[in-house]
Amino acid sequence: MEKEANSWDAKQSEDYYGLRRWGGGHFSADEKGFVCAHPAGDGRRIQLMEVIEEAMESGLKPPMTIRIQDLLRHRVELLAGAFANAIEGEKYAGRYRGVFPIKVNQLREVVEEIRDAGEPLGFGLEAGSKPELLIALALSEKAGSLLICNGYKDPAYIRLALLGTQLGREVILVVEQPSEADAIIKVAQEIGVTPKLGIRLKLHSNGEGKWKNSSGDDAKFGLSISEVMTVLKKLQKARLSDALKLIHFHIGSQVTDILAIKRAVVEAARYYCELRKLGHPIQYLDVGGGLGIDYDGSRSNFESSMNYSLPEYARDVVFNIKKVCEQAEVPEPDILSESGRALVAPHSVLVLEVVDRIAKVPEGPLPRKTKRTNHVIKDLLYTLEESKKHSQLERFHDAQQKRAEAESLFTHGYLDLKNTAIAEELYWRICDDIRQNLKRDGYIPEELEDLDTLLAEQYVCNFSVFQSLLDHWALGQLFPVAPLHRLQEEPTTEATLVDITCDSDGKIAKFTDLEDVRPTLRLHPVEPGKPYYLGVFLVGAYQDIMGDLHNLFGRVNEVHVFLEDDEENGFYIEETIDGFSTNEILDLIQYKESDLMRRMKTQIDTAIKNDTVKPREGVRLLNLFSEQLKAKTYLDTSSSKTRTRRNKAR
Ligand SMILES: *Cc1c(COP(=O)(O)O)cnc(C)c1O
């Protein structure tokens, strides 16, 4: 194994971890084995380890989110560019505009970056709730800014939206429930403002993938055909027929199959044409979100992938709308899309430090055989040492039998703790030896296919899945993982990742592979005293906000990096955001710092009075408590070295 390390290079790691496949050109490995981001699609790159080092100098440690701000801008330009090309190619008469759905990443720096990058391209914002609408209104600072209002609406929501109209913004209130039409008409008449309206359609065409239930008969949102007709009548009665400016659909996020998109676009375009023929001056056809991210890079309709490219998506939307309109002899609408995931997923990288490893196979010398060595142990030693006499499968069966025998002897009191432990260690050594032999032979019997998984080490990472990768836990969504350095070395350890929560679900034991799921990922051996950093990629959509406080681990530290040609390493950190400190988290669940301190002080004072603790020691203990209340929630690894723990558990 060690010898082969020389013949390995960063290109091979790039291939193994799939950086170029899922990276969409945004990530690569350099010759020295460091992962680089390419935020602008030109030659410029940012080495992520340099960002981490600079952040550490200013006191921020992993777990940490690195936001590559220029990548947001670049994604906006790619999306707009794809539609511009499609529109030119198809000689399409309408224009394209995008709106960013705030729910996908609400962080101010993210929304502002997209707004600024999108402004010259006619982009706007989309809100799905009152809090998001407040953000969208405040950030729509330019006259004429486009603002699409979705989600459940109460009278206050409607009044807020019309406030935007009064200020000269292009606000479109999308009717998603039949009852909303009445509410909008009522509020609009009260204020005396003519609203611009949209209708969300409940299409027959379903999405594909995990989020496909966002459309169809059982969808939570949207109007069926008969409901559309009812709403149109209401508008007519209120003399608001001309207010209908947009029709909208959203068939779910991460649509994996382009056919689902084509079907939905054709169906919605038919609605558009019919409504135009009824005399409604509809300007926009809003194709919603759903544009995917190829998390595994397989370009397939596998759950974590998508079988189409961005240019193909744009062409299909434009082409199908045009075709339907031509047939119906209706002018082509402006096209609007609400892509969220596709804009923001790539810009953020979660950085994890491996702080410990749990290995099953012991290292060091074998136990010595004596006359008194128990026969089970002798048998296991024999199976280990005579590796060629029998088939590997037979050795595996022998080892299993002997291990069971050792356990039974222990239960009945014939084998002591020490020797039972030796038996177990020998069992794992045999499994490891079998695995090595099988690798050399190239043939693996079916029963032994899972040996890699069985023997995999667990790399303990300083983070919480529930805070930082909620969709992985809740929906089984896969995110690409790769070391951020050492890629010029061959990774030799099959491993899974576990977090530091006390929850056995707090782990990553499913990794992206081409159209498949890997149960383990090959990583580098952790070297004592040397930090080892992993990146979890494409986490910029949805994960940021949804994190929960399981075990009271809070938001992680954050750095925002920008390209900067004048800097030696090509970037600068524009902003750092401290992760939650413990007292902030405790405050959220009603524990006040001062109250906790008072209670602790009383206990320590009593201990001093009773002479179980010396006064000086008492002060020290209270300081420790107070210090930790103010500290971050994650492990502080600055003083300890990476340790190796040998786990004897099965
Ligand atoms: C969530 C949502 C989106 C964003 O979808 P993506 O798949 O992330 O692009 C767009 N429109 C509506 C109405 C949504 O609810």
Side-chain angles (χ1 to χ4, degrees):
M1 286 286 186
E2 294 299 290
K3 266 174 267 144
E4 287 168 15
N6 297 331
S7 64
W8 188 267
D9 63 27
K11 281 267 158 297
Q12 283 164 282
S13 288
E14 210 174 44
D15 189 46
Y16 176 72
Y17 295 110
L19 285 166
R20 292 208 182 253
R21 283 195 304 275
W22 50 256
H26 306 317
F27 298 98
S28 70
D30 68 12
E31 328 69 58
K32 296 214 179 86
F34 294 103
V35 172
C36 295
H38 305 258
D42 50 24
R44 291 178 292 171
R45 61 188 191 184
I46 296 175
Q47 203 192 84
L48 296 182
M49 278 300 283
E50 287 186 332
V51 177
I52 297 171
E53 273 155 28
E54 199 167 314
M56 305 249 289
E57 274 163 30
S58 62
L60 288 200
K61 294 178 216 129
M64 174 169 30
T65 299
I66 299 180
R67 288 190 197 288
I68 305 155
Q69 294 286 119
D70 299 273
L71 201 40
L72 291 170
R73 177 169 290 273
H74 186 43
R75 294 295 299 178
V76 169
E77 287 163 0
L78 284 175
L79 178 63
F83 271 98
N85 283 339
I87 282 172
E88 199 189 312
E90 299 294 337
K91 303 198 172 49
Y92 188 83
R95 70 181 286 211
Y96 165 77
R97 304 182 73 174
V99 287
F100 175 61
I102 294 180
K103 78 154 190 280
V104 185
N105 195 318
Q106 295 97 333
L107 192 76
R108 177 173 54 79
E109 284 86 343
V110 171
V111 179
E112 278 180 347
E113 193 70 39
I114 292 175
R115 180 198 66 175
D116 294 349
E119 190 177 41
L121 304 164
F123 272 53
L125 297 171
E126 186 262 6
S129 68
K130 245 187 303 185
E132 288 178 6
L133 180 56
L134 291 168
I135 295 174
L137 283 167
L139 292 189
S140 297
E141 287 162 295
K142 293 259 162 69
S145 296
L146 181 60
L147 209 169
I148 305 293
C149 300
N150 292 323
Y152 288 95
K153 301 169 192 71
D154 63 5
Y157 182 121
I158 298 165
R159 252 177 259 129
L160 276 174
L162 294 179
L163 176 159
T165 310
Q166 286 168 293
L167 293 180
R169 309 296 177 260
E170 186 173 4
V171 180
I172 300 181
L173 269 160
V174 179
V175 179
E176 308 212 28
Q177 314 288 340
S179 61
E180 278 176 10
D182 300 317
I184 294 172
I185 291 168
K186 184 156 174 272
V187 175
Q189 282 172 346
E190 273 166 23
I191 316 180
V193 174
T194 308
K196 286 193 175 186
L197 300 178
I199 285 183
R200 177 161 175 174
L201 305 171
K202 195 180 271 183
L203 296 185
H204 298 296
S205 323
N206 270 332
E208 286 287 329
K210 284 190 193 306
W211 290 270
K212 65 176 162 210
N213 289 332
S214 308
S215 68
D217 286 341
D218 293 330
K220 211 162 96 172
F221 296 107
L223 306 180
S224 65
I225 296 186
S226 63
E227 286 166 342
V228 170
M229 298 312 289
T230 311
V231 167
L232 292 182
K233 268 195 218 116
K234 287 177 181 170
L235 293 185
Q236 196 178 17
K237 210 166 137 212
R239 297 167 184 272
L240 282 173
S241 293
D242 284 356
L244 188 58
K245 299 292 183 197
L246 171 147
I247 60 166
H248 168 225
F249 69 87
H250 174 66
I251 56 170
S253 202
Q254 185 67 15
V255 177
T256 53
D257 190 349
I258 189 70
L259 283 178
I261 290 167
K262 293 187 201 221
R263 277 197 304 266
V265 166
V266 169
E267 193 183 338
R270 288 283 307 127
Y271 270 96
Y272 163 78
C273 292
E274 292 295 320
L275 291 172
R276 278 295 292 235
K277 285 180 179 166
L278 289 178
H280 299 283
I282 301 171
Q283 183 187 350
Y284 296 109
L285 176 50
D286 178 352
V287 298
L291 175 56
I293 281 282
D294 196 353
Y295 291 95
D296 65 20
S298 66
R299 185 50 61 77
S300 65
N301 63 0
F302 192 64
E303 244 175 27
S304 49
S305 186
M306 57 202 258
N307 66 2
Y308 54 93
S309 65
L310 175 53
E312 184 182 350
Y313 171 81
R315 270 196 305 274
D316 280 340
V317 170
V318 171
F319 172 81
N320 283 295
I321 296 176
K322 184 181 161 99
K323 205 180 60 183
V324 174
C325 290
E326 266 175 5
Q327 257 170 16
E329 297 178 359
V330 164
E332 290 152 17
D334 286 340
I335 297 172
L336 225 142
S337 83
E338 304 177 344
S339 297
R341 182 188 299 276
L343 286 186
V344 297
H347 90 283
S348 129
V349 181
L350 176 68
V351 179
L352 308 179
E353 184 182 359
V354 178
V355 289
D356 201 353
R357 53 189 266 247
I358 304 169
K360 287 176 181 151
V361 185
E363 284 163 359
L366 284 176
R368 249 180 301 139
K369 238 183 309 186
T370 65
K371 256 186 259 154
R372 281 190 320 193
T373 302
N374 186 289
H375 72 96
V376 186
I377 292 179
K378 277 190 191 148
D379 289 349
L380 281 163
L381 274 169
Y382 174 82
T383 307
L384 178 60
E385 281 160 354
E386 297 295 332
S387 67
K388 292 279 152 23
K389 243 184 204 151
H390 305 290
S391 78
Q392 301 306 319
L393 191 58
E394 188 174 338
R395 290 177 76 207
F396 183 63
H397 292 154
D398 289 346
Q400 277 184 316
Q401 182 203 358
K402 290 296 157 191
R403 183 190 182 187
E405 198 178 323
E407 278 166 6
S408 159
L409 287 174
F410 174 73
T411 314
H412 293 102
Y414 296 113
L415 198 63
D416 64 10
L417 200 56
K418 184 168 155 237
N419 281 295
T420 313
I422 291 176
E424 190 174 272
E425 288 190 15
L426 286 170
Y427 171 77
W428 289 119
R429 281 183 201 254
I430 295 166
C431 289
D432 189 42
D433 192 63
I434 292 172
R435 174 173 60 162
Q436 315 266 3
N437 284 325
L438 291 173
K439 282 239 166 80
R440 259 192 303 273
D441 301 349
Y443 165 72
I444 301 180
E446 198 181 323
E447 207 183 323
L448 299 180
E449 270 169 2
D450 292 337
L451 219 49
D452 267 345
T453 317
L454 194 71
L455 289 166
E457 293 197 9
Q458 289 171 314
Y459 277 30
V460 182
C461 300
N462 190 9
F463 84 118
S464 158
V465 165
F466 307 94
Q467 172 60 233
S468 297
L469 294 176
L470 201 68
D471 277 350
H472 180 69
W473 170 70
L475 295 160
Q477 202 199 326
L478 302 184
F479 296 95
V481 177
L484 297 176
H485 54 143
R486 294 176 65 183
L487 294 184
Q488 83 292 4
E489 280 173 51
E490 179 172 8
T492 51
T493 310
E494 296 285 348
T496 60
L497 307 181
V498 294
D499 73 5
I500 57 167
T501 65
C502 303
D503 195 314
S504 43
D505 276 348
K507 64 179 179 196
I508 307 180
K510 286 189 176 135
F511 300 91
T512 55
D513 199 355
L514 279 178
E515 280 192 69
D516 201 359
V517 180
R518 280 181 200 164
T520 59
L521 190 67
R522 255 189 294 148
L523 294 170
H524 302 92
V526 188
E527 293 168 0
K530 289 192 192 157
Y532 186 49
Y533 295 116
L534 304 176
V536 186
F537 293 84
L538 311 179
V539 294
Y542 300 101
Q543 307 308 300
D544 271 340
I545 287 293
M546 295 205 295
D548 80 358
L549 303 178
H550 194 5
N551 264 162
L552 302 183
F553 289 114
R555 280 186 66 101
V556 303
N557 292 325
E558 223 180 280
V559 295
H560 301 175
V561 291
F562 280 89
L563 282 168
E564 175 54 64
D565 296 340
D566 290 342
E567 292 287 339
E568 198 185 328
N569 41 24
F571 71 88
Y572 76 104
I573 294 181
E574 189 241 15
E575 178 150 30
T576 59
I577 304 177
D578 269 15
F580 275 169
S581 60
T582 307
N583 52 6
E584 286 172 308
I585 299 275
L586 295 185
D587 195 64
L588 288 176
I589 45 173
Q590 298 289 342
Y591 297 96
K592 303 293 162 211
E593 188 179 349
S594 56
D595 178 52
L596 294 177
M597 281 300 291
R598 197 173 51 243
R599 292 179 195 231
M600 215 54 226
K601 188 168 183 312
T602 312
Q603 293 180 56
I604 290 172
D605 285 347
T606 311
I608 293 172
K609 212 178 286 157
N610 298 342
D611 214 18
T612 46
V613 163
K614 294 267 168 300
R616 190 182 293 270
E617 181 66 0
V619 172
R620 211 186 55 76
L621 292 177
L622 197 61
N623 280 344
L624 170 71
F625 190 81
S626 141
E627 228 175 71
Q628 285 307 306
L629 271 177
K630 293 184 170 59
K632 297 283 165 58
T633 52
Y634 291 93
L635 301 181
D636 182 0
T637 56
S638 47
S639 51
S640 70
K641 304 243 159 63
T642 306
R643 290 159 300 143
T644 301
R645 176 149 55 92
R646 295 283 159 194
N647 188 352
K648 309 233 162 74
R650 36 183 137 162

